[in-house]
Amino acid sequence: MISLVAFDLDGTLALSKQPLLDSMGEALADLLHVAYVAVISGGDWPQFEKQIASRLPARANRSKLWLLPTTGTKLYTYKEGQWGRVCADLFSSSDKERILEAFDLSLEKSGFKPEKTWGNRIEDRGSQITFSALGQEAPIQEKGHWDPDFAKRKVIQQDLMQRLPEMSINMGGATSIDITQKGVDKAYGLKRLRDQSGIPLEEMMFIGDAIFPGGNDYPAHQLGLKTVKVKNPDGTLAAIAGIHACLSK
């Protein structure tokens, strides 16, 4: 029995850093009628608010929705007409300095320097440091061309793992690498969700586009959840329709 369906965000529910389309908002509203829903991703709360919270139709039962920014190191729920943070785990200043230095060294060694960038390439999200190869504001088309097979980021990831062996380093989105405390990945976030919601892992399903070794959705598979790998939001819409049909019987 499935009681909760958890989703990745970028590449799964929406294009990178883009708001949900109306069709996805409606699909999630339908799903919330028959199950609890969670979204876990590397973005911070402002991105979640822009992409998800502000895009749901009025009929969506937000009280059954859990939002887990920064790979689940933060958790938000909807109560009394507003979203509120339940908990958060933050990096120390010294850890942040070490991570930023490691990024500089790894990027220099890899040689993967794009000809043009848009906005900041490194973002401090408090409990997560995220590298976006082309910058936080890069056009979707440019992101899609830079590293579609993850090959460039795998090289950077391997170098970072040697420099920061006590950290978790995962690829996500179209051009990103996320660094969190060791053991902080989507499995960590999903276990926190289990503890806060009271819903056992056996009753959860996870849907994402990076369910492969090194991908930031893969820990959900390793945790033993039922998983569905999708290529894009259209695939997610099809998956939601099938799950809704099954749970509505």
Side-chain angles (χ1 to χ4, degrees):
M1 175 183 175
I2 298 299
S3 300
L4 182 148
V5 183
F7 296 88
D8 168 53
L9 179 50
D10 285 349
T12 300
L13 289 176
L15 297 178
S16 180
K17 290 185 169 56
Q18 299 303 303
L20 299 183
L21 295 180
D22 290 344
S23 56
M24 188 64 76
E26 294 294 339
L28 290 176
D30 289 341
L31 188 57
L32 283 163
H33 279 297
V34 297
Y36 288 91
V37 171
V39 182
I40 178 169
S41 186
D44 207 348
W45 173 249
Q47 201 67 37
F48 269 65
E49 190 170 33
K50 170 190 171 184
Q51 290 185 262
I52 305 169
S54 64
R55 295 293 300 160
L56 294 170
R59 68 184 181 90
N61 187 352
R62 291 163 174 79
S63 67
K64 294 175 65 178
L65 177 61
W66 302 77
L67 299 180
L68 295 93
T70 54
T71 319
T73 57
K74 300 177 184 178
L75 188 150
Y76 287 76
T77 59
Y78 191 81
K79 293 181 179 179
E80 299 179 355
Q82 63 182 356
W83 290 98
R85 193 171 75 183
V86 176
C87 51
D89 301 327
L90 305 178
F91 271 127
S92 67
S93 297
S94 60
D95 281 340
K96 290 180 183 180
E97 290 176 5
R98 290 184 58 248
I99 292 169
L100 294 177
E101 181 182 3
F103 263 130
D104 287 341
L105 293 171
S106 291
L107 294 176
E108 183 177 352
K109 181 178 179 181
S110 72
F112 294 132
K113 294 182 179 180
E115 295 180 1
K116 183 177 180 181
T117 60
W118 293 261
N120 293 330
R121 299 177 77 196
I122 304 291
E123 183 180 1
D124 178 359
R125 297 173 178 173
S127 54
Q128 176 178 295
I129 308 295
T130 294
F131 163 72
S132 297
L134 303 183
Q136 296 289 327
E137 300 171 12
I140 294 174
Q141 186 175 9
E142 295 292 337
K143 288 184 176 184
H145 291 157
W146 188 74
D147 190 27
D149 58 358
F150 294 84
K152 293 177 181 177
R153 278 175 290 168
K154 285 179 180 177
V155 173
I156 300 170
Q157 181 191 42
Q158 289 301 313
D159 186 75
L160 284 169
M161 285 178 171
Q162 295 179 24
R163 299 180 190 277
L164 300 168
E166 76 282 15
M167 302 287 181
S168 286
I169 302 164
N170 291 288
M171 297 174 285
T175 66
S176 298
I177 293 177
D178 302 325
I179 296 185
T180 58
Q181 294 285 2
K182 194 71 171 180
V184 174
D185 53 22
K186 289 190 178 175
Y188 169 93
L190 290 164
K191 286 187 283 189
R192 166 168 278 179
L193 177 61
R194 172 200 61 195
D195 296 341
Q196 292 287 335
S197 68
I199 298 172
L201 296 175
E202 294 77 16
E203 295 182 16
M204 295 185 187
M205 172 181 285
F206 182 86
I207 298 175
D209 68 320
I211 305 175
F212 54 82
N216 68 353
D217 295 330
Y218 193 63
H221 169 76
Q222 293 176 303
L223 189 59
L225 266 65
K226 302 175 183 69
T227 58
V228 177
K229 183 180 177 182
V230 296
K231 290 185 177 180
N232 52 42
D234 286 340
T236 303
L237 283 173
I240 292 174
I243 294 167
H244 181 267
C246 290
L247 295 181
S248 298
K249 293 181 179 178

